[in-house]
Amino acid sequence: MEEGTGIWLGAVLQRVVLVGTITCLLVPIAVSASTPVDKEQAIYGATGLPAFAFTAGTKRIDTHCHFIPPFYLDILRAKGLDSGGRAIPRWTSEDHIQIMDTLGVETSVVSISTPGVHLPGVDRDAARKLARELNEYGHKISVEYPGRFMFWATLTLPDVEGSVAEAIYALDTLKAAGVVLFANHEGEYLGSKKFDPLMAVLNERDAVVFIHPNKVPLAPVPDTVEDEVVPEFVMDFLLDTTRASANLVLKNVTGRYPNIKFILSHSGGFLPFAAYRIGGALSFLTREAAPKVMGSLQSFYVDTALSSSPAALPSTLAFVPNKQITFGSDFPFAPTFGIKIATSQLDGFTGLASDKKEWINYHNADALLKKPLAHWRSAWEAAASSANQHEELYTC
């Protein structure tokens, strides 16, 4: 943690804004003076926050979390890049498994976050090569840590030809859980007809698409203390996801490619709260009946990453069926204490029966990823059997 800590300590505004954001998520809980202070809470200056309380025996599948292979971290840092105003943290599989064990996460489906593979000074062929390396790394940790990791494949949009080729390889050969797409790629939002060839390939494979926010295609938002503005990851990411979902419905991608299942990050951004306004406007624009448009909006899956607060969760549950919500942590971009708070809020939410929480935490993702999970569980069992036979051979 030392290397990442040094970077976080230097990001003063990020720390202040993030603490404020996490603090606003809190359910008032009495905290005794003897409550242990999470190491990361102390780093962020966020002492005195509620204690963490997870439901014992809860099993989860995390569909919204990230991995940052060492070679990718080196590239991003060498170019001075961040993720929507958030410094790129150090990631290790060991640190990830530690928070998984704390939360009761059985399997994490990892993905690359923004800025993706189209980086300054990186041409099309280099971006394709980087995507391939990231996907093969995702496959590698899926093999090395049986049962703990799967991955969303990284593609190369707005390079459609490269994305089609990589999707076929990652889904058919590497057995990726699905693909991760940014809400917009260099200003081109999902729903664009330019992306139809990729959607056709994904539709043929009944693919799951995890939609993650990106920097919004506007003038850069300053994120330094001197400029005194809110970094993009705090607010604009939510708008980005919301706009992508609306555009997918406006362009009828959800209707033309019905076999694709889309998971929206962070409870769908602003979508649950504004769904009826957005649906009504889209009905006017498309001349489609309002119930049909609302049905399309409500066909999305959403995850709970940093979205289990007393304000967010009821709105989400009023918008999409319980069985279209999956658990998400947003590790390692969210600080571990923030992840623990959000997870505690989900577990402690009184407006949902325990069996329905089990669907959110585990069963929905288990059903959604049934095909890739079947492959990996078979492979993991075979690896475990082989290891046991090898051990028995040497103990005879």
Side-chain angles (χ1 to χ4, degrees):
M1 293 291 293
E2 288 76 10
E3 182 181 358
T5 296
I7 290 175
W8 290 333
L9 285 172
V12 177
L13 177 64
Q14 294 173 23
R15 180 170 69 246
V16 172
V17 172
L18 190 56
V19 170
T21 302
I22 296 299
T23 303
C24 289
L25 293 173
L26 305 181
V27 178
I29 302 175
V31 183
S32 70
S34 61
T35 299
V37 176
D38 185 281
K39 180 180 178 183
E40 204 168 17
Q41 282 182 252
I43 292 170
Y44 279 85
T47 56
L49 295 182
F52 312 125
F54 311 126
T55 303
T58 299
K59 188 167 63 170
R60 312 180 206 268
I61 295 175
D62 188 351
T63 65
H64 185 155
C65 53
H66 303 286
F67 71 134
I68 308 161
F71 67 87
Y72 185 56
L73 179 64
D74 290 344
I75 293 171
L76 297 181
R77 288 187 175 174
K79 294 180 177 296
L81 299 174
D82 60 31
S83 182
R86 175 77 166 96
I88 307 295
R90 187 177 71 93
W91 172 93
T92 68
S93 54
E94 292 76 18
D95 287 344
H96 201 147
I97 289 172
Q98 183 177 16
I99 186 67
M100 288 168 63
D101 289 345
T102 298
L103 301 178
V105 174
E106 179 181 283
T107 304
S108 285
V109 190
V110 295
S111 64
I112 293 302
S113 184
T114 180
V117 296
H118 285 283
L119 310 174
V122 174
D123 63 19
R124 186 196 68 177
D125 290 341
R128 290 180 179 183
K129 181 175 181 291
L130 181 55
R132 176 62 55 92
E133 291 171 346
L134 289 167
N135 291 331
E136 292 186 338
Y137 189 95
H139 179 268
K140 175 175 173 284
I141 62 172
S142 300
V143 172
E144 289 181 351
Y145 299 92
R148 306 317 305 268
F149 293 114
M150 295 171 65
F151 71 102
W152 301 115
T154 300
L155 305 185
T156 62
L157 288 181
D159 167 21
V160 176
E161 181 182 357
S163 292
V164 167
E166 193 60 29
I168 292 171
Y169 173 71
L171 294 171
D172 295 358
T173 302
L174 300 182
K175 305 301 181 184
V179 304
V180 56
L181 298 178
F182 293 153
N184 85 84
H185 294 265
E186 298 184 356
E188 194 83 31
Y189 271 90
L190 296 181
S192 169
K193 290 190 175 181
K194 294 179 182 178
F195 301 156
D196 278 0
L198 174 62
M199 295 301 162
V201 166
L202 298 175
N203 191 67
E204 290 168 2
R205 287 162 174 75
D206 299 326
V208 180
V209 174
F210 171 51
I211 298 178
H212 192 277
N214 197 0
K215 288 192 172 187
V216 293
L218 303 171
V221 178
D223 55 20
T224 64
V225 173
E226 291 76 14
D227 292 316
E228 296 181 345
V229 298
V230 178
E232 291 175 304
F233 77 89
V234 176
M235 186 180 301
D236 298 348
F237 271 16
L238 304 176
L239 172 61
D240 201 47
T241 302
T242 305
R243 179 174 285 278
S245 64
N247 205 46
L248 286 166
V249 172
L250 178 66
K251 305 299 175 58
N252 196 31
V253 171
T254 50
R256 291 185 291 121
Y257 303 105
N259 298 332
I260 301 174
K261 298 295 188 292
F262 295 98
I263 305 177
L264 304 178
S265 295
H266 307 119
S267 200
F270 303 134
L271 183 59
F273 177 79
Y276 285 87
R277 174 187 173 120
I278 293 171
L282 292 178
S283 175
F284 174 79
L285 292 171
T286 61
R287 300 182 183 275
E288 294 280 359
K292 181 180 178 181
V293 173
M294 284 302 301
S296 296
L297 289 173
Q298 291 174 312
S299 70
F300 293 112
Y301 286 71
V302 301
D303 67 50
T304 65
L306 300 179
S307 303
S308 299
S309 73
L313 199 52
S315 181
T316 303
L317 289 166
F319 173 59
V320 295
N322 175 73
K323 291 192 176 182
Q324 287 170 217
I325 305 173
T326 63
F327 175 80
S329 69
D330 213 351
F331 181 84
F333 285 92
T336 55
F337 75 87
I339 294 168
K340 292 174 183 176
I341 291 171
T343 304
S344 296
Q345 290 174 329
L346 174 60
D347 286 2
F349 183 63
T350 58
L352 202 60
S354 59
D355 61 324
K356 292 186 176 181
K357 291 178 187 176
E358 289 175 6
W359 280 95
I360 291 174
N361 281 313
Y362 189 87
H363 299 304
N364 292 339
D366 187 58
L368 187 62
L369 303 175
K370 181 178 180 180
K371 184 176 178 180
L373 271 170
H375 163 81
W376 281 108
R377 284 170 176 162
S378 177
W380 293 329
E381 289 172 8
S385 177
S386 177
N388 289 336
Q389 290 175 7
H390 183 76
E391 184 178 348
E392 290 171 3
L393 179 65
Y394 280 87
T395 56
C396 290

